[in-house]
Amino acid sequence: MTTNDTPVSTNFIRQIITQDLKENKNQGKVATRFPPEPNGYLHIGHAKSICLNFGIAGEFKGTCNLRFDDTNPEKENIEYMESIERDVKWLGFEWAGLYNASDYFEQLYSYAVQLIEQGLAYVDSLSAEEIRVYRGTLTEPGKESPDRNRSIEENLDLFTRMRAGEFADGAYVLRAKIDMASPNINMRDPAIYRIRRVHHHRTGDAWCIYPMYDYTHCISDAIEGITHSICTLEFEDHRPLYDWVLDKLQTPSHPQQIEFARLQLEYTIVSKRKLNQLVTEKHVNGWDDPRMPTIAGLRRAGFTPKAIRDFCERIGVTKQNSWIEIGVLEYCIREDLNENALRAMAVLQPLRVVIENYPDGQVEQLEISNHPQKPELGKRQVPFSKVILIEQDDFAAIPPPKYKRLIEGGEVRLRGSYVIKCNEIIKSAEGVITELRCSYDPDTLGKNPEGRKVKGVIHWVSEAESAEAEIRLYDRLFTVPSPDNEPNFLDVINHDSLEVLEGCRVEASLAQASPENRYQFERTGYFCLDSVDSVDGKLVFNRTVTLREGGWAKD
RNA sequence: UGGGUCGUCGCCAAGCGGUAAGGCACGGGGUUUUGAUCUCCGCAUACCAAGGUUCGAAUCCUUGCGACCCAGCCA
């Protein structure tokens, strides 16, 4: 792993590893792995796991592999594999080795033969439905399949023929022979191989039988010499099975499985099935829609790898099911962007302002710094002229209490420029304000006027010297904190989660914007150029997050 | 009602028998040509509950209560 500046914190997993190291377990080595199934795009929940696994490898001078858990070809494909590799790299991590569970299919097969030879696995002809019935319930023990005591020879023969493709899908299954009365349902002779004639994105049609997760994962870990196999809480009940398989087989090592609580983030969904549904049913515009909690979506929205890593560090790692408030993620991205984003001015909903006492045709290049606290980020030139545009919201015909922007007869500071005073409001026949007539105080460039205080500061652009842009404002995708708990999560989709503003005007310097740069449009939020739709000179900006809204500013 | 896991501030989370860290959020001052940033101050006599052990308990024991996960030939 490569990165870098994430603060080191303690958590129960790191404590376990520290203790293991002290006892010189695993010859003092630490090896982890991040094992996604390539059946969808990575999301913020995966980021937690990625940061944990790669982070631990980094801290303990160990290694972390990327391994695709590709044992169910029905849902997996190359596009997902590629997106996963891209996203892990983008987050700033480097894997020691890149593997696939399918790399081990041959070994997995021969281990299964060993299990059969030891009398610890058998081929069952019960149907899926029958197996379910035989399994018993949470409170009642299961009962043994009639095939459970098939001879080793017969099992070997049948398993060979399963592989050879002699049987129809579902005709047989290979089961571990453990204990049908176990209080742990996972130990009631779990299936470890099924017949499935599906083309696999890596092994093609070489196999018609595929190993199951529980059987595959532990052996894959052992083959790779993983020392600590970190997974989420729902696999706690599977640990006895993980250990059983490795205890029965002579694998190169016996990794330790450790479980932690998966991330639950308010107002978002982190179920791949549901995310997939949002994409395929077009509730969003693809896996990388900026409203999606996917890494690709967050990236397109303007999130930085650093902010995501910081977030993962802040939320901690425990075994407690918890819901993280969305404010934590927002804090992380604001913190990074406040420090590093270049400032610029953009007027989302323009109102024309004519400065009557400013010379016709004159254009002044004002030098404005790119960051108020970091002069090292330099300055840019912003053209000023007689006709400028300000935000409609920054003028109020009837100002609410404490309003400190422009009002009729009042003064306001144009950011980085002069103080202007509104002399007259021009309205259309319908009574809509179409233009403001103002005058400027030539003596207020770079200094405050004498004898009076001007409280408000607003942003602006020169009408003629600005560029047109489309600006997309995103809001949370769901209307309730935990959409996953709804009977139907589609019912709580926020239909106002995307607001597209056309005809916005941005300062001239933004015509050269690139998706890698992030900007703070002063007073309105953090934005970045959309990496997909900004083509042929068209400028499209995505709002990453608003500025923090102190006190009354909201509304 | 079987098995597994978890209960510390609104949300996260340290704490591991010696007298409740920190972050986010929130409230209030100050600075500010972004109602941003920055900065200062405040924010759990209290750790799910009740008993017990101890000089001393969030930490140990007991009994309750509450929450989550498991009955795919998914992962």
Side-chain angles (χ1 to χ4, degrees):
Chain A
M1 96 127 220
T2 44
T3 352
N4 68 17
D5 51 32
T6 36
V8 178
S9 79
T10 176
N11 62 49
F12 78 101
I13 297 178
R14 293 191 243 231
Q15 287 179 2
I16 289 171
I17 295 174
T18 301
Q19 185 62 28
D20 287 349
L21 253 18
K22 196 182 292 178
E23 293 167 5
N24 201 35
K25 268 193 200 167
N26 311 306
Q27 295 83 240
K29 289 201 173 10
V30 173
T32 59
R33 100 272 90 115
F34 171 62
E37 182 186 14
N39 67 343
Y41 278 61
L42 260 23
H43 54 63
I44 185 76
H46 291 108
K48 178 179 180 182
S49 174
I50 291 167
C51 290
L52 217 208
N53 279 294
F54 283 93
I56 281 171
E59 283 164 44
F60 294 97
K61 302 199 181 353
T63 57
C64 181
N65 291 340
L66 172 60
R67 180 172 72 235
F68 291 104
D69 228 329
D70 55 350
T71 57
N72 183 4
E74 280 173 286
K75 302 191 288 182
E76 302 157 0
N77 63 231
I78 299 277
E79 179 201 343
Y80 294 140
M81 284 183 69
E82 290 171 348
S83 74
I84 289 167
E85 291 182 46
R86 189 188 318 132
D87 290 347
V88 172
K89 281 187 205 160
W90 179 77
L91 278 173
F93 299 107
E94 256 172 44
W95 44 83
L98 175 64
Y99 303 105
N100 303 274
S102 56
D103 296 339
Y104 313 131
F105 278 175
E106 198 61 56
Q107 287 170 87
L108 258 358
Y109 179 84
S110 66
Y111 276 126
V113 169
Q114 284 178 37
L115 241 26
I116 295 172
E117 287 170 342
Q118 293 177 75
L120 293 171
Y122 60 98
V123 174
D124 199 342
S125 61
L126 251 29
S127 68
E129 172 67 9
E130 288 167 324
I131 286 182
R132 187 178 63 73
V133 173
Y134 273 68
R135 186 155 33 227
T137 68
L138 294 178
T139 51
E140 298 158 323
K143 61 179 181 186
E144 300 185 351
S145 165
D147 290 346
R148 196 171 200 264
N149 294 310
R150 211 189 275 284
S151 72
I152 289 174
E153 293 66 35
E154 200 180 346
N155 281 321
L156 251 12
D157 175 59
L158 253 15
F159 191 49
T160 305
R161 291 162 63 192
M162 277 171 65
R163 176 178 183 172
E166 290 189 29
F167 309 120
D169 287 12
Y172 290 102
V173 76
L174 182 70
R175 292 228 256 169
K177 189 192 282 192
I178 308 179
D179 178 9
M180 288 307 292
S182 172
N184 180 347
I185 294 208
N186 296 294
M187 300 298 271
R188 319 241 260 230
D189 291 10
I192 59 177
Y193 265 92
R194 76 282 215 182
I195 305 173
R196 193 116 313 169
R197 283 176 178 72
V198 176
H199 186 85
H200 187 286
H201 62 279
R202 292 197 71 255
T203 60
D205 298 311
W207 295 83
C208 66
I209 57 171
Y210 292 97
M212 303 283 291
Y213 165 84
D214 284 307
Y215 174 72
T216 306
H217 204 90
C218 52
I219 295 176
S220 303
D221 281 345
I223 290 172
E224 291 175 22
I226 300 303
T227 55
H228 303 269
S229 179
I230 300 166
C231 63
T232 44
L233 245 32
E234 65 270 27
F235 293 106
E236 272 177 322
D237 290 345
H238 296 237
R239 191 177 349 118
L241 178 51
Y242 184 105
D243 290 332
W244 183 91
V245 172
L246 297 184
D247 283 344
K248 302 302 180 191
L249 265 6
Q250 275 77 56
T251 51
S253 69
H254 189 141
Q256 176 185 5
Q257 175 177 305
I258 304 171
E259 310 85 9
F260 71 98
R262 64 163 1 112
L263 170 68
Q264 300 181 98
L265 225 203
E266 286 188 345
Y267 296 100
T268 83
I269 254 169
V270 283
S271 144
K272 271 197 210 167
R273 198 204 97 230
K274 290 175 182 171
L275 292 176
N276 201 312
Q277 196 179 344
L278 289 174
V279 173
T280 52
E281 294 178 4
K282 304 215 187 298
H283 297 106
V284 295
N285 304 313
W287 286 98
D288 65 347
D289 186 299
R291 291 165 293 180
M292 289 283 273
T294 51
I295 304 301
L298 292 166
R299 173 170 58 228
R300 189 171 167 192
F303 277 73
T304 59
K306 184 173 179 229
I308 295 174
R309 278 187 256 118
D310 180 42
F311 171 73
C312 293
E313 199 55 55
R314 279 170 188 276
I315 59 178
V317 177
T318 68
K319 301 190 74 154
Q320 300 180 50
N321 279 118
S322 57
W323 285 89
I324 307 297
E325 290 178 345
I326 201 74
V328 181
L329 217 209
E330 292 179 347
Y331 175 84
C332 292
I333 186 60
R334 286 190 187 116
E335 184 180 53
D336 186 13
L337 262 20
N338 174 55
E339 170 116 359
N340 299 304
L342 301 176
R343 310 290 126 122
M345 290 194 285
V347 176
L348 310 201
Q349 303 188 90
L351 172 60
R352 196 162 192 265
V353 171
V354 177
I355 299 163
E356 295 175 305
N357 61 339
Y358 195 82
D360 287 335
Q362 179 171 319
V363 176
E364 225 176 319
Q365 294 294 340
L366 302 178
E367 284 221 311
I368 302 183
S369 60
N370 288 324
H371 190 116
Q373 283 86 30
K374 299 176 85 175
E376 65 272 25
L377 259 26
K379 296 179 178 219
R380 66 194 191 281
Q381 297 213 314
V382 182
F384 181 79
S385 66
K386 185 182 181 76
V387 182
I388 62 168
L389 302 167
I390 66 169
E391 211 69 67
Q392 286 169 23
D393 280 354
D394 285 337
F395 175 80
I398 306 161
K402 292 191 189 165
Y403 189 79
K404 48 191 251 193
R405 289 147 338 187
L406 193 58
I407 60 174
E408 188 172 13
E411 284 188 303
V412 78
R413 157 76 63 185
L414 293 178
R415 176 70 161 153
S417 177
Y418 301 96
V419 168
I420 59 169
K421 178 178 184 180
C422 176
N423 303 317
E424 188 187 351
I425 304 172
I426 310 293
K427 294 182 179 175
S428 68
E430 296 78 40
V432 179
I433 299 172
T434 55
E435 186 177 303
L436 263 23
R437 293 299 168 91
C438 297
S439 54
Y440 84 116
D441 180 345
D443 220 27
T444 54
L445 186 60
K447 60 182 180 207
N448 286 127
E450 285 176 26
R452 59 194 202 279
K453 259 260 186 283
V454 176
K455 275 188 293 184
V457 180
I458 64 174
H459 57 277
W460 56 276
V461 296
S462 167
E463 183 180 58
E465 282 77 23
S466 57
E468 181 167 338
E470 173 181 318
I471 295 184
R472 299 174 180 172
L473 305 180
Y474 299 97
D475 199 353
R476 47 184 62 136
L477 229 199
F478 295 97
T479 57
V480 299
S482 35
D484 258 320
N485 292 345
E486 290 307 302
N488 183 356
F489 77 105
L490 297 176
D491 292 343
V492 291
I493 287 185
N494 175 12
H495 297 290
D496 300 320
S497 59
L498 169 59
E499 184 181 356
V500 179
L501 265 24
E502 319 251 11
C504 308
R505 305 291 302 191
V506 301
E507 66 171 69
S509 68
L510 254 12
Q512 271 72 52
S514 73
E516 294 72 46
N517 289 325
R518 331 278 156 147
Y519 300 92
Q520 183 197 100
F521 290 172
E522 289 201 73
R523 304 206 313 125
T524 83
Y526 294 99
F527 293 79
C528 75
L529 193 71
D530 187 80
S531 55
V532 177
D533 295 327
S534 297
V535 287
D536 302 327
K538 183 184 179 189
L539 295 173
V540 177
F541 288 95
N542 294 321
R543 183 173 68 193
T544 310
V545 67
T546 61
L547 254 30
R548 190 162 160 270
E549 285 161 347
W552 86 333
K554 183 79 194 157
D555 89 4

